[in-house]
Amino acid sequence: MTKEQTSTTPETAGPRPRRLTYAAVLTALEGLGLAVGGVWVLVLGLTGDPDGRQQAVTLGVTLVVLALLPLLAARGLFAQRSWSRGPSVITQILALPVAYSLLQADSIAIPAGIAIAVVAIATLVLLINQETTQALGIRGPGSAPDQK
């Protein structure tokens, strides 16, 4: 690694703000939820009697692979890496339609939809917070350093 890749900027040299820690924890919980759900569907597909064994296995593997995005993003947020905010925001944006579809169901899925929506919105708020943005070393538009 080069010196530029390993050094921290002055904005990220301080302690991690609580809001950033909370965003990382919520993102990690979403990743763990996806992984657990994927393993559960995969095990049921392999050991149970699903309507379509191939579909159950495919869904399980897909959920486990999708769990990697928020888990890697959470790790980056804990380490205060600026790249990690993007994948975490994408995860939250993808969670909102899932929550909406669960809220439209007439079943026990409604509480799950509420929980997913609350976590996604809370995480988005934490991720776009100014304190979090500064801790990650992300500058807004028009605030690029002067080039001489």
Side-chain angles (χ1 to χ4, degrees):
M1 292 186 151
T2 65
K3 185 177 179 180
E4 288 180 11
Q5 291 174 331
T6 58
S7 66
T8 57
T9 60
E11 294 92 2
T12 62
R16 184 176 49 246
R18 282 188 307 173
R19 290 180 177 130
L20 181 57
T21 303
Y22 296 154
V25 168
L26 289 174
T27 302
L29 286 175
E30 288 172 327
L32 287 173
L34 278 170
V36 167
V39 169
W40 181 59
V41 170
L42 186 61
V43 168
L44 284 179
L46 293 173
T47 62
D49 190 23
D51 292 336
R53 184 176 308 272
Q54 184 177 3
Q55 288 179 337
V57 170
T58 302
L59 177 61
V61 170
T62 301
L63 288 175
V64 170
V65 171
L66 284 175
L68 293 175
L69 181 68
L71 290 173
L72 290 172
R75 183 173 182 217
L77 289 171
F78 275 119
Q80 291 182 272
R81 303 287 186 244
S82 61
W83 62 262
S84 61
R85 188 173 84 156
S88 185
V89 168
I90 290 169
T91 300
Q92 308 322 311
I93 291 171
L94 291 174
L96 290 174
V98 172
Y100 180 77
S101 66
L102 291 174
L103 289 171
Q104 299 305 309
D106 228 6
S107 68
I108 197 159
I110 293 174
I114 292 169
I116 291 171
V118 167
V119 169
I121 291 169
T123 307
L124 278 172
V125 168
L126 290 168
L127 288 170
I128 62 172
N129 184 279
Q130 184 179 3
E131 184 179 342
T132 302
T133 304
Q134 288 174 349
L136 292 173
I138 299 172
R139 291 187 284 278
S143 60
D146 291 334
Q147 305 256 340
K148 291 187 180 182

